[in-house]
Amino acid sequence: MLRVENPRVEFTTNPLGIDESRPRFSWTPIHSKRGRRQKAYRIIVASSLENALRSISDVWDSGIVESDENVVEYGGSPLKSFTRYFWRVRWWDDKGGESEWSDVAWFETAVLDSGEWRGKWIGGGQLLRREFYIDGDVAEARVYIAGLGYYELRMNGVRVGDRVLDPPWSEYSRTVYYSVYDVTDIVRKGLNAVAVMLGRGRYAQKFSGVKYYGEPKLLLLLRVKLVDGRVMEVYSDESWRCLEKGPIISDDIYNGFRYDFRLEPVGWDKPGFDESSWKLCTVVDPPGGVLRSTATIPATKVMAVLKPREFYSPRPGVYVFDFGQNITGWVRLRVRGSLGAEVRIRYAEILNTDGTINTKNLRGAEATDVFILRGNGVETLEPRFTYHGFRYAEVSTASGYIAPPSLDDVEALVVHADLESIGSIVTSNKLVNDIHKIVMWSLKGNLMNGVQTDCPQRDERMGWLGDAWLSSDSAMLNFNMVRYYEKIMQDIIDSQKEDGSIPDTVPPYWNTYPADPAWGTAFIYIPWMLYTYYGDRRVIEKVYVYAKKWWNYLYTKAKDGVLYFSKYGDWVPPGRVFNIQDCPFEIIATWILYRDAKILSSMARALGKPDEAKYFEERASEIANAFNKAFLHEVEIFGRKVAGYFSIYTSQAGTQLYLGSPRFGGSQTCLALPLVEGLVPQEKVKDIVEALVYSIEVDWDKHFNVGILGAKYVPEALARYGYLQLAYEAITQETYPSFGYMIREGATTLWERWEKLTGSGMNSHNHHMFGSIDAWFYRWLAGIQVAEPGFKKFIVKPPLIKGLNHVSTKIYTVKGLVHVAWVNEGDKLKLVIDVPVGSIAELHLPKIAKSIEVVESGKTIWREGKFTPTEGIISAKEEKEEIVIEIGSGNYNFELTSSPP
Ligand code: BGC
């Protein structure tokens, strides 16, 4: 009846090599009966599998703890480094039920104390190697490696692990990530070789404008436990051998990978290789940052392989492959060619009209991989240490000869973070499903290298914070983002200056200090959303002090509560990049200052700091007043009174200029922002909503006129203020500007711009920042909204939308599965819902008729205003437009019909 699923440590199944001293345990309590809560839990941690199996807690026993928490910090005595721990959990429900112990799960520690690191940072070559002798049988072996900028680890002739583009990017002077590998199956008694190829990555990138940290370097520790109990350590130091000029001609994230197979020493990664011509490696300065383990941060990997859909030859000797999907990754090509033949693979998102690839929008990124062949039969070409954003790949030769490739010889490797997928949504509207699909591709293709890039193809690929927070709700509902975003928060902390300022892009590879407030808000918004969606307290505990500093930095720039500091505004609305005309920057900046104060106040409250909560609450209300005073106006235009949010300036000639013109409706974004934050004075709400609706319906013929901020908040404002149908119709437009237009014009990922552009400049075909729309689908089409952190309580409100008949959603929350599927049959509304143990769902069922009957699994629970309780259903009441029913955990089947007279 009671079970435990999903025992995790740091939100990861059996993590290898964590460095968290107080790791978080979590589990999903499962119960076959309705309306159950967890009343208590008990965790035991043991030093061996045998002990754990016999439930002997020789490391830590939490005891029976009365609590409904299912994310719990380790509370035992300090953990030891390099140690595997085994654990189990069980729980009790509120009616005396007791679960079995969970299966035994484990976690293994890496280096918990930096003093335990052995090894020196070394450099001086592309290829580094060391042989070593093991004089006993191997019980287990681990490698701890930090190779900057990127590395490929090989041992005894094989590549170790499946991480690519590792380690994740960071501000290397503050944090350097290392990865842990289990190499027990590779290391053997006798002679062994460990070999590393280093790439430049971000650490050693030499690209104009991008921060350069230093030349590639390596820190490696290999620990081998022998069966007889001895531990042997091999680590990087001056005894290693380096090949300075190896096969890599050049490698760069933007420009591509160039490799000469003729210069790759055969057998260099195997024992017994003649390394006498290699120099000794040199000990170099450490990069400076604290070493942190990647064990629980989703790693970048090859996640799928695509076959080309077609290929053709636009010019003799030039072959273009179409993969049918814009992706992030690279091509793997098998060729047979002449010795020294130079094979080129170029990448592009779009084509020219003559079928050749169009690379103009890659700007300065050459995005070209070059391979020089050995000419000894079929050779497999695959780049390292670079990646590309592309749908098309062009294969050609610059010199020499290759046999013309066929469809079978080419594949595209889809590369992104190995994120656990936790959410899905399917609706009766194909276009909505298609929009969801392109959002997913854009999110995935920009979640890699441990950051959230803006785009994967051009000379940019930076962790732009504006883009990150705007799509973060969508990312959090679809993927398990806890550890990924926690890592990004560390990046921001690492980038913060003394004065509190943070950059627009993290890690700070570009100098973009101080951030635009609407970009820097990621530092406040994302932690708060991690708390909201996942109940993640640790992140707000950690970030709060730094986030306050950032907010304060902005606050001191404000004049009388209005913030004039801003850089980008409502970025990329239809027809342009900057949007000064429609929505003045100061409106956005001040709105952000207000919202951040509100969030900080909520954070302070959640952290048990009522005084600070009050402080931010007071600042927020001052800013709110200043906001309305400065921007809420009513003017007469062409004899018509128009209310709106805009700025009034006086020109030199003395005429009044309305920036953010209130001309019949005004800027959609400027109207929506105060609405969603409840900033509009009650008596003006109707006017502002009407102005917004007028702009969308009349001025824009049911289309949005929004940049990336408006794209998130205009649909939200409409839905909240009674215009869900209009929002839905604007979202599902197929004419410009709209998502449907992008898709009709062939988009398989979200574009950066509403226009179909094929030139240079700001014209990426894979930007995730408009992806905020996907969270809107979950909120308003599935109808799921979080009411208490971590889905402890959530609202389910199936919408009545013309043209939408059913929606089905699953979200694997920290509490467990939330499943909502509704079907609208006109005179009947069916709703299937799963509520996890310990959660409460508040159903808001629309009154589809005057008198409603609600049947649940065959039993009438509501009729003629009367509620008949049944198992799991806590309460029901009638409100103006809906029946509100509260239910506890379990599976339910509701049917709503008009009750017969
Ligand atoms: C990036 C955007 C980013 C913007 C800010 C662009 O170059 O691609 O996504 O938010 O700059 O100005």
Side-chain angles (χ1 to χ4, degrees):
M1 263 192 353
L2 286 76
R3 276 184 298 131
V4 190
E5 279 182 6
N6 271 322
R8 307 246 176 135
V9 171
E10 286 295 308
F11 304 95
T12 311
T13 306
N14 299 339
L16 178 82
I18 63 167
D19 59 358
E20 187 57 61
S21 56
R22 294 171 67 85
R24 292 165 285 184
F25 297 96
S26 62
W27 60 92
T28 313
I30 308 277
H31 206 301
S32 60
K33 286 254 158 56
R34 283 182 180 174
R36 296 307 165 99
R37 285 189 313 109
Q38 175 186 291
K39 192 174 161 234
Y41 67 82
R42 181 174 167 206
I43 299 169
I44 55 167
V45 181
S47 63
S48 68
L49 179 61
E50 296 67 40
N51 282 354
L53 283 170
R54 286 185 300 159
S55 307
I56 298 173
S57 53
D58 57 339
V59 176
W60 181 51
D61 187 340
S62 70
I64 299 177
V65 181
E66 291 233 353
S67 160
D68 61 356
E69 292 289 327
N70 61 332
V71 180
V72 171
E73 264 183 19
Y74 173 74
S77 49
L79 297 167
K80 290 198 292 270
S81 295
F82 311 119
T83 306
R84 185 170 288 203
Y85 294 94
F86 300 83
W87 69 285
R88 308 179 98 170
V89 60
R90 72 195 307 175
W91 65 285
W92 288 263
D93 72 9
D94 49 343
K95 305 232 162 68
E98 179 178 353
S99 79
E100 289 293 314
W101 284 110
S102 66
D103 289 342
V104 176
W106 57 263
F107 64 98
E108 188 177 302
T109 54
V111 194
L112 294 180
D113 174 351
S114 59
E116 288 167 297
W117 259 106
R118 303 292 303 276
K120 298 173 182 168
W121 283 94
I122 57 172
Q126 281 175 4
L127 307 182
L128 301 83
R129 74 186 304 279
R130 167 86 151 80
E131 294 191 9
F132 57 95
Y133 194 81
I134 300 286
D135 66 350
D137 291 322
V138 176
E140 66 184 41
R142 305 278 184 269
V143 171
Y144 306 84
I145 179 174
L148 302 181
Y150 292 137
Y151 67 87
E152 182 173 303
L153 171 64
R154 310 185 68 87
M155 285 180 83
N156 296 341
V158 298
R159 190 185 187 296
V160 177
D162 58 354
R163 291 166 172 265
V164 296
L165 306 176
D166 203 56
W169 298 347
S170 61
E171 166 47 277
Y172 302 99
S173 65
R174 295 287 173 85
T175 296
V176 173
Y177 286 99
Y178 66 90
S179 295
V180 184
Y181 295 97
D182 181 347
V183 291
T184 310
D185 292 342
I186 303 176
V187 177
R188 52 191 175 229
K189 189 173 175 177
L191 196 60
N192 292 268
V194 52
V196 177
M197 181 184 283
L198 288 179
R200 306 190 71 82
R202 284 297 191 191
Y203 184 77
Q205 187 167 26
K206 285 196 167 158
F207 198 89
S208 158
V210 178
K211 186 164 174 180
Y212 166 81
Y213 289 85
E215 285 300 286
K217 53 188 61 165
L218 169 73
L219 177 68
L220 182 145
L221 169 62
L222 167 68
R223 288 185 101 245
V224 184
K225 288 187 188 160
L226 300 180
V227 173
D228 62 19
R230 281 179 298 152
V231 174
M232 287 196 56
E233 290 184 330
V234 176
Y235 40 82
S236 51
D237 64 12
E238 52 277 77
S239 70
W240 284 52
R241 294 282 178 162
C242 271
L243 181 64
E244 195 185 341
K245 291 222 162 49
I248 302 176
I249 302 164
S250 64
D251 69 285
D252 180 82
I253 291 162
Y254 301 136
N255 289 336
F257 181 70
R258 290 153 209 222
Y259 196 77
D260 189 340
F261 279 100
R262 297 169 306 180
L263 302 180
E264 184 184 291
V266 178
W268 72 283
D269 54 356
K270 293 188 180 140
F273 171 78
D274 176 9
E275 61 181 24
S276 55
S277 63
W278 290 31
K279 294 186 319 181
L280 288 170
C281 298
T282 41
V283 172
V284 296
D285 285 339
V290 174
L291 287 158
R292 295 183 203 273
S293 167
T294 60
T296 57
I297 302 168
T300 308
K301 292 182 181 174
V302 175
M303 298 300 293
V305 178
L306 298 184
K307 281 291 189 188
R309 196 198 258 178
E310 59 167 326
F311 95 109
Y312 55 89
S313 177
R315 276 204 311 269
V318 174
Y319 307 95
V320 173
F321 294 84
D322 175 4
F323 295 96
Q325 172 64 50
N326 204 24
I327 63 155
T328 303
W330 53 78
V331 157
R332 186 196 288 149
L333 169 69
R334 274 184 305 274
V335 286
R336 189 189 282 275
S338 55
L339 169 73
E342 193 178 319
V343 182
R344 272 166 199 263
I345 308 174
R346 292 170 65 229
Y347 297 82
E349 293 185 303
I350 41 179
L351 296 176
N352 294 310
T353 43
D354 64 357
T356 55
I357 60 170
N358 175 348
T359 58
K360 284 195 213 88
N361 71 337
L362 307 184
R363 303 193 310 211
E366 286 171 18
T368 305
D369 297 331
V370 176
F371 301 91
I372 302 187
L373 303 186
R374 278 200 183 103
N376 57 353
V378 175
E379 293 175 71
T380 301
L381 318 184
E382 187 182 332
R384 300 174 174 92
F385 312 141
T386 192
Y387 68 95
H388 311 284
F390 66 102
R391 169 174 169 173
Y392 305 96
E394 179 207 83
V395 175
S396 65
T397 44
S399 66
Y401 164 84
I402 58 165
S406 77
L407 278 181
D408 289 340
D409 297 325
V410 182
E411 49 204 3
L413 307 194
V414 179
V415 177
H416 56 81
D418 185 4
L419 290 162
E420 178 191 7
S421 153
I422 58 159
S424 62
I425 181 165
V426 182
T427 78
S428 61
N429 183 324
K430 179 169 184 306
L431 180 53
V432 170
N433 299 342
D434 288 345
I435 297 170
H436 171 69
K437 206 155 100 192
I438 69 169
V439 173
M440 288 305 98
W441 276 107
S442 288
L443 279 174
K444 287 195 250 180
N446 284 294
L447 287 164
M448 52 194 302
N449 290 300
V451 305
Q452 191 164 12
T453 52
D454 56 336
C455 59
Q457 73 297 79
R458 68 180 178 215
D459 53 359
E460 185 149 358
R461 313 183 199 183
M462 290 290 173
W464 279 97
L465 291 178
D467 310 42
W469 78 266
L470 284 167
S471 70
S472 62
D473 297 68
S474 299
M476 289 185 213
L477 286 165
N478 285 291
F479 306 109
N480 176 354
M481 294 296 295
V482 180
R483 293 292 299 131
Y484 206 84
Y485 278 134
E486 284 182 349
K487 186 271 176 190
I488 293 178
M489 293 306 110
Q490 183 67 51
D491 289 340
I492 306 182
I493 293 171
D494 285 352
S495 313
Q496 187 166 36
K497 287 189 176 167
E498 257 316 293
D499 63 4
S501 67
I502 60 172
D504 286 310
T505 49
V506 297
Y509 302 140
W510 278 348
N511 185 355
T512 51
Y513 292 90
D516 181 310
W519 268 242
T521 187
F523 202 19
I524 295 169
Y525 185 85
I526 292 179
W528 188 242
M529 287 303 119
L530 288 173
Y531 181 64
T532 303
Y533 289 114
Y534 303 117
D536 181 5
R537 263 186 77 86
R538 183 175 284 178
V539 75
I540 57 172
E541 275 164 15
K542 180 164 182 187
V543 168
Y544 179 67
V545 275
Y546 304 101
K548 265 196 315 191
K549 240 179 131 184
W550 161 238
W551 184 87
N552 212 46
Y553 174 87
L554 291 178
Y555 184 61
T556 53
K557 281 186 183 291
K559 286 193 195 76
D560 302 325
V562 173
L563 184 58
Y564 287 91
F565 168 66
S566 174
K567 292 155 85 174
Y568 313 118
D570 190 19
W571 191 246
V572 291
R576 50 186 182 262
V577 171
F578 277 100
N579 192 4
I580 306 185
Q581 301 93 313
D582 272 8
C583 189
F585 285 19
E586 57 271 25
I587 293 188
I588 295 171
T590 308
W591 181 82
I592 291 280
L593 192 67
Y594 167 80
R595 194 193 60 179
D596 285 352
K598 290 281 285 186
I599 297 179
L600 286 171
S601 162
S602 306
M603 260 192 215
R605 193 155 297 118
L607 294 172
K609 300 175 192 292
D611 292 351
E612 299 198 18
K614 192 159 159 267
Y615 170 83
F616 283 112
E617 192 55 49
E618 284 166 7
R619 297 293 80 70
S621 91
E622 277 167 28
I623 299 165
N625 291 335
F627 183 86
N628 283 323
K629 196 165 149 231
F631 307 124
L632 176 58
H633 304 291
E634 195 170 79
V635 288
E636 215 182 272
I637 299 173
F638 302 138
R640 186 169 164 246
K641 272 223 188 293
V642 190
Y645 279 86
F646 52 92
S647 287
I648 301 180
Y649 287 92
T650 309
S651 77
Q652 278 189 345
T655 38
Q656 296 229 298
L657 300 174
Y658 304 137
L659 194 59
S661 149
R663 194 189 148 264
F664 310 135
S667 152
Q668 296 175 5
T669 303
C670 276
L671 296 168
L673 293 180
L675 281 173
V676 293
E677 276 301 324
L679 275 170
V680 185
Q682 206 42 52
E683 68 281 8
K684 287 276 184 253
V685 167
K686 196 168 160 278
D687 291 350
I688 298 299
V689 172
E690 273 172 13
L692 176 61
V693 169
Y694 190 92
S695 170
I696 295 163
E697 218 158 36
V698 183
D699 286 345
W700 283 82
D701 193 20
K702 291 198 181 168
H703 292 74
F704 296 130
N705 168 31
V706 292
I708 55 177
L709 285 164
K712 180 168 168 69
Y713 291 110
V714 170
E716 185 66 25
L718 289 176
R720 284 203 210 166
Y721 287 87
Y723 287 87
L724 185 56
Q725 184 70 33
L726 177 61
Y728 176 76
E729 285 172 23
I731 289 167
T732 52
Q733 282 290 359
E734 292 190 69
T735 47
Y736 170 83
S738 68
F739 296 106
Y741 169 75
M742 290 186 194
I743 290 171
R744 210 185 66 194
E745 290 297 321
T748 57
T749 39
L750 287 166
W751 295 342
E752 178 178 25
R753 307 284 299 277
W754 292 109
E755 295 77 30
K756 182 175 195 179
L757 300 176
T758 54
S760 184
M762 303 297 290
N763 169 29
S764 137
H765 284 238
N766 190 357
H767 252 63
H768 61 89
M769 58 199 181
F770 283 119
S772 56
I773 200 63
D774 204 59
W776 191 92
F777 294 159
Y778 280 90
R779 289 169 68 78
W780 296 105
L781 301 187
I784 303 176
Q785 306 199 4
V786 184
E788 276 176 39
F791 281 88
K792 205 162 172 180
K793 181 165 182 186
F794 59 97
I795 288 166
V796 178
K797 193 181 162 91
L800 294 181
I801 293 177
K802 264 182 254 116
L804 191 72
N805 306 324
H806 63 83
V807 175
S808 175
T809 321
K810 279 187 179 167
I811 309 172
Y812 290 87
T813 72
V814 272
K815 287 270 171 215
L817 174 65
V818 168
H819 173 44
V820 172
W822 62 259
V823 185
N824 186 347
E825 295 177 350
D827 54 353
K828 192 186 267 175
L829 186 78
K830 292 183 184 161
L831 176 69
V832 171
I833 167 160
D834 292 359
V835 181
V837 170
S839 287
I840 287 187
E842 194 180 284
L843 312 184
H844 292 243
L845 303 179
K847 286 198 202 157
I848 52 170
K850 270 236 173 63
S851 179
I852 297 286
E853 170 163 351
V854 183
V855 174
E856 194 284 312
S857 300
K859 284 189 204 152
T860 299
I861 60 153
W862 180 272
R863 192 171 180 178
E864 282 160 15
K866 213 178 132 271
F867 169 51
T868 313
T870 177
E871 209 200 345
I873 303 185
I874 302 162
S875 68
K877 61 176 186 231
E878 189 160 356
E879 284 184 359
K880 220 166 107 214
E881 281 162 4
E882 46 195 27
I883 314 274
V884 180
I885 303 177
E886 245 193 354
I887 60 178
S889 68
N891 313 326
Y892 301 83
N893 250 298
F894 289 95
E895 266 191 33
L896 191 74
T897 50
S898 90
S899 77

